[in-house]
Amino acid sequence: MTVRYRISAALAVLLMVSSGAFAPAVAQEKLVAPETNPPGDIPDNQVFVTYNSPDGFDLKVPEGWSRSAIDHGVRFFDKYDEIVATVGIANAAPTASSARAHEIPDLKTAEHAVKVTAVKDVRLAAGAGVRISYVSSSAPNSVTSKQIRLEHERFILFKNGKAVTLDLAAPAGADNVDQWQLISNSLQWR
C-alpha cells in the first residue's frame, strides 16, 4: 500500500468518525415511572419543614411547596393542594355552636358551592378548637376555566384574644388524613 493511499484511508476514517457515522452505541433511554399518587395526595415520604410565622405561630408544611404572604397570614400551595393559616382578633374560644352560627355562613359566601359535612369541637396539640369539614368547588382555572371538587379541613384555635384559622384543602379523593393530622397537630403558638 502506498503512503498516499494510507493517508487517504486514514483521513476518510477520521472524517467518518467526526461526522458521527461511527458514533458509539448509546443505551436506549427509558421512560421514568409514572407517579403512583392520585392527584392531590401528599406522598407518605414527604419531608416537612417548620414555618415560623411573624404572626406568632409555628407550623409544619411540606418542603418545596410555594409560599405567599396574605393579609394576616400565609398560604402554601402545590397545584390544587393548599394550606392557609391566618390570625385574627377574637373575644372568645370558638365552639362547634359558634362556628355553625358565624363561621359557616361566612364560609358559604366566600367559597364556591360549599357543602359542610361536619362541625366538631377538637383538641389539638396547640389546644382546644373547632374543626369544620367541608367540600367545595375550586376557583376556575385561569386558562381552561375548569373547576375541581376540593375537600377541606378548617381548624380554628384561640389563645389570649387571638384566633388562628388553619385551612387544609386537596382534590376530593386524595388520601391526606395522616399528613393533615401531622400539619394540624404541628401548629404551636409562640
Side-chain angles (χ1 to χ4, degrees):
M1 201 183 261
T2 67
V3 172
R4 182 181 286 174
Y5 178 74
R6 281 188 210 155
I7 292 174
S8 296
L11 185 57
V13 169
L14 182 61
L15 288 172
M16 291 174 71
V17 168
S18 66
S19 71
F22 292 116
V26 177
Q28 185 71 11
E29 185 176 350
K30 294 182 181 180
L31 289 173
V32 296
E35 289 191 40
T36 57
N37 296 327
D41 268 5
I42 300 172
D44 290 339
N45 61 353
Q46 173 68 53
V47 174
F48 288 82
V49 295
T50 301
Y51 169 72
N52 304 110
S53 171
D55 293 309
F57 65 88
D58 298 332
L59 181 68
K60 286 190 179 185
V61 297
E63 183 178 53
W65 280 26
S66 298
R67 179 181 79 194
S68 64
I70 59 173
D71 195 26
H72 304 291
V74 65
R75 175 180 177 250
F76 295 91
F77 55 96
D78 182 55
K79 301 174 191 76
Y80 285 104
D81 286 291
E82 183 176 64
I83 300 168
V84 177
T86 56
V87 175
I89 297 170
N91 295 326
T95 63
S97 178
S98 69
R100 282 186 193 94
H102 303 288
E103 187 75 20
I104 291 173
D106 292 343
L107 184 64
K108 288 183 175 182
T109 60
E111 300 278 342
H112 299 272
V114 168
K115 179 182 176 193
V116 175
T117 57
V119 180
K120 297 180 183 177
D121 292 315
V122 294
R123 184 142 208 52
L124 298 178
V130 172
R131 182 182 81 200
I132 303 169
S133 303
Y134 66 99
V135 293
S136 74
S137 295
S138 69
N141 179 289
S142 60
V143 176
T144 64
S145 296
K146 179 182 175 185
Q147 291 179 284
I148 66 166
R149 200 70 170 155
L150 299 173
E151 293 177 329
H152 301 261
E153 293 288 334
R154 175 175 281 193
F155 297 91
I156 307 167
L157 290 98
F158 173 83
K159 183 179 180 183
N160 298 333
K162 288 186 176 181
V164 65
T165 301
L166 174 64
D167 286 300
L168 308 170
D175 181 15
N176 291 328
V177 172
D178 294 334
Q179 293 84 349
W180 284 3
Q181 186 174 11
L182 181 149
I183 294 166
S184 61
N185 273 307
S186 76
L187 178 67
Q188 294 295 325
W189 292 99
R190 283 197 316 272

